[in-house]
Amino acid sequence: MDTSASLDPQVSMAPIPRIIHQTWKTEYIPYDIYDRRWVESWTRYHPDWLTVLWTDARLRELGRACYPAFEAMYAEDVPGIYLADFGRYMVLHHFGGLYVDLDYECLRSLEPLLEGHRFVTCYAGDTCLELNNALIAAVPGHPLTLDYMSACDARWTEAVRSGRVRELGPGPITGPVMMTEITDAAPESVRATATIYEARLLCPVDWRKGLSIHRETLPAEVIDRVREDYPDAYAATYWTHVRDEPGV
């Protein structure tokens, strides 16, 4: 495995592969939590793309086969949210493509936003500069995805050693806070390959304004009106935060 922090010119100019990655702990998606319309919206607007559902078991298999140095991140006792966070960076590093959470609805094809780019994400809301790790696209081998994996491993190991996992939570260990800090600290040559869109395009529903299914503050009629309320949006997430729950 090449762990260098520079992009191979051929890799850097390759298109983002037409693969949609999603994760859940088993192969059975709970549609009472994740509306089937959201899940199926990605194939509706990307009919020629391959869609892959990564279970926890399959993520661990990929880790053992290709990333033995990060064994701590896919051990059997790693809670689901930390594995899911690490897993999205891992599959993007290995295969490239588009990763989206199951509570994300596609509103139109993302291809215009991905074409000609090597790494794509967005801000998590229009009131913050934190990146959104629920939607990421990348070419295979992009150095940011490897940097995220390395940071997850180091931060998880330290949090376990210091007994601070519960105190810190996933945000700064494997989630958006980590992703933002590592991206900001990357060399300019790497950051120059990252495209970060405004939240209004890819993450218009801002949970920081109190809008989330998890908080029971996002009624169905608001979701049904998302195209009308956010006419510029290509996709929207509804913030179920299911895997943040203990044991999930």
Side-chain angles (χ1 to χ4, degrees), residues 208-228:
R208 291 165 183 78
K209 295 180 178 179
L211 296 174
S212 77
I213 288 177
H214 176 70
R215 294 180 179 178
E216 299 182 348
T217 55
L218 190 59
E221 56 266 27
V222 174
I223 295 175
D224 291 340
R225 213 174 55 234
V226 69
R227 285 179 172 82
E228 178 183 340

Side-chain angles (χ1 to χ4, degrees), residues 24-82:
W24 183 243
K25 57 183 178 179
T26 70
E27 63 188 64
Y28 302 105
I29 297 173
Y31 289 114
D32 58 324
I33 299 173
Y34 302 112
D35 192 309
R36 187 183 292 270
R37 292 174 301 172
W38 311 342
V39 178
E40 295 179 351
S41 67
W42 294 95
T43 54
R44 184 182 314 124
Y45 288 104
H46 304 86
D48 299 327
W49 289 47
L50 173 67
T51 301
V52 181
L53 178 68
W54 291 89
T55 64
D56 287 359
R58 291 188 67 195
L59 288 175
R60 291 188 171 101
E61 288 174 7
L62 178 63
R64 285 192 291 266
C66 301
Y67 298 95
F70 299 121
E71 182 179 5
M73 288 310 309
Y74 51 81
E76 293 295 334
D77 60 345
V78 173
I81 182 58
Y82 298 95

